[in-house]
Structure formats: structure tokens, C-alpha cells
Amino acid sequence: MRLVLLGVPGSGKGTQGEVLAAHYGIRHVSSGDLLRHEVAAHTPLGEEVKSFIDDGELVPDELVFSVVAGALDDAARAQGYILDGFPRTLAQAQRARASAPPAGIAVDAVVYLDLSDKVARSRLSGRAAEGRVDDGDSVIERRLAVYHHATQPLLGFYRALRLLRAIDANAPIPQVTATIIAAIDASAA
Ligand code: ADP
């Protein structure tokens, strides 16, 4: 099973990614977590990506691929993966389809967590108290704008490939999880 999660920041990709990975016994690969890990460990790559993350801007593709590729190679050899935060642009999606392991970074279904900016904003500003440096108000606005500009076009890309499954992400977490699992299992059957 190879899944991609799409949705505005705050739509629940990280939370659902973890729950779904446990449910299907697959790896949860979060590009944001991988990048933040590099920052926290003060690696050269971490030093390079820090300002992009802090400002709510996209990290350049080469750097993103360098952290995601290793994790995906491992996950692809195992039972599969759930990608959270990657691909994030059309260029990343096209390159992912074309690049390694055997037939590219394959995708069986794309789960779109549909949530308004208004609800996303209130969830993210609640999370700021938990200490993520990119959850301040102006950076939240920038991340939402970047999402609409750069990531939203992926909905059309994956819809055309008949992979997109839209889920109402307003519901409580367990209900969203159940809806996703039902949608994935129905399309896999
Ligand atoms: P969210 O979806 O809540 O914005 P993420 O953890 O997915 O949070 O991403 C946090 C930040 O990490 C992004 O704002 C961006 O700077 C960087 N990032 C993560 N994934 C990618 C990616 N695929 N391409 C470019 N930048 C990325």
C-alpha cells in the first residue's frame, strides 16, 4: 500500500499519517518531520533548510529529495508507505513518478483531507502553544498561501490519474480515520 496525504497545513496529515501507518503496517514518511530532524541535529542540510521552514517557504526540491529518497527506498522494500508533506509541488509529483525505486515512487491512492483555511488557521494557532516555530500567525498565513499556490494543483494532477479520494477533514480524528480507511479499502477491493 502506497498512499499520499494532501491537505492544507493543519488538515491532520501528520496525525492521520501515524494512525494509518499503524493500521496498514506501513511506514509513515513525513517530509516535514525528516527536515525538522535535520535542523534539530544541526546537520549541514539542516542548516541549509532551516530558514525556509521558519519562513513558511518551500525547501528547494534537491534538498527535499535528498532527505525523502533514502526513507522511501527503505519503505518501498517493506510493506509500503504513507507520504505526508511530499510531493508538495507539481514538479515534485512528476519527478517522484519518474524516479527510483523500480517503477518510480509509486502511488496507489491519494487522500485529500479537505478543510477550510478558517478551521486550519484556528487549529494551527492552537498548536503554536506546543512550540512549533513555524506556527506563528504570519508564517501560518504564508504556509496557507504557499499551499494554495504550489500544492493545490496536485489535486487536479492526481484526480486526472483517478487516484484522488476526497475526505471531509472537519470531523473528529477517529471519524476522519474511519472514513479514509473505508475509502481506501473500497477502492482497493
Ligand atoms: P504543514 O503541512 O503543516 O505545513 P510540514 O511538516 O509538512 O507541515 O512542513 C513544514 C515545512 O517543511 C514546510 O513549510 C516547508 O518549509 C518544508 N517542507 C516539508 N515538505 C516539503 C516538500 N515536499 N517540499 C518543500 N518543502 C517542504
Side-chain angles (χ1 to χ4, degrees):
M1 175 82 69
R2 293 155 303 186
L3 303 175
V4 169
L5 293 176
L6 281 182
V8 283
S11 58
K13 301 185 299 292
T15 306
Q16 296 298 338
E18 280 180 29
V19 180
L20 292 168
H23 177 84
Y24 288 110
I26 56 181
R27 203 83 58 90
H28 174 214
V29 179
S30 158
S31 53
D33 285 352
L34 292 169
L35 291 166
R36 279 186 291 275
H37 181 81
E38 298 285 331
V39 173
H42 296 284
T43 64
L45 190 126
E47 300 297 327
E48 232 179 312
V49 302
K50 184 176 184 322
S51 64
F52 294 101
I53 296 176
D54 289 353
D55 294 345
E57 302 296 339
L58 293 176
V59 169
D61 286 354
E62 291 310 317
L63 304 175
V64 171
F65 273 85
S66 70
V67 292
V68 171
L72 282 185
D73 264 357
D74 291 349
R77 267 190 287 275
Q79 299 302 307
Y81 43 76
I82 178 147
L83 298 180
D84 155 12
F86 171 90
R88 212 179 189 89
T89 63
L90 271 179
Q92 288 182 10
Q94 280 154 354
R95 183 164 156 191
R97 269 178 82 75
S99 64
I105 297 171
V107 173
D108 302 314
V110 176
V111 174
Y112 167 43
L113 296 171
D114 189 1
L115 192 74
S116 70
D117 283 12
K118 188 161 173 267
V119 178
R121 263 185 209 103
S122 72
R123 288 188 187 176
L124 289 169
S125 46
R127 203 169 74 180
E130 295 163 22
R132 239 180 82 167
V133 284
D134 60 347
D135 277 346
D137 281 349
S138 63
V139 182
I140 288 174
E141 287 311 312
R142 184 62 196 149
R143 280 160 59 214
L144 288 170
V146 168
Y147 169 82
H148 289 295
H149 169 76
T151 308
Q152 202 165 291
L154 290 183
L155 300 180
F157 176 81
Y158 286 121
R159 191 177 288 120
L161 292 168
R162 309 177 72 89
L163 293 174
L164 198 73
R165 312 282 176 265
I167 304 290
D168 178 4
N170 274 291
I173 292 168
Q175 196 176 319
V176 173
T177 308
T179 311
I180 295 171
I181 290 171
I184 291 171
D185 292 352
S187 57

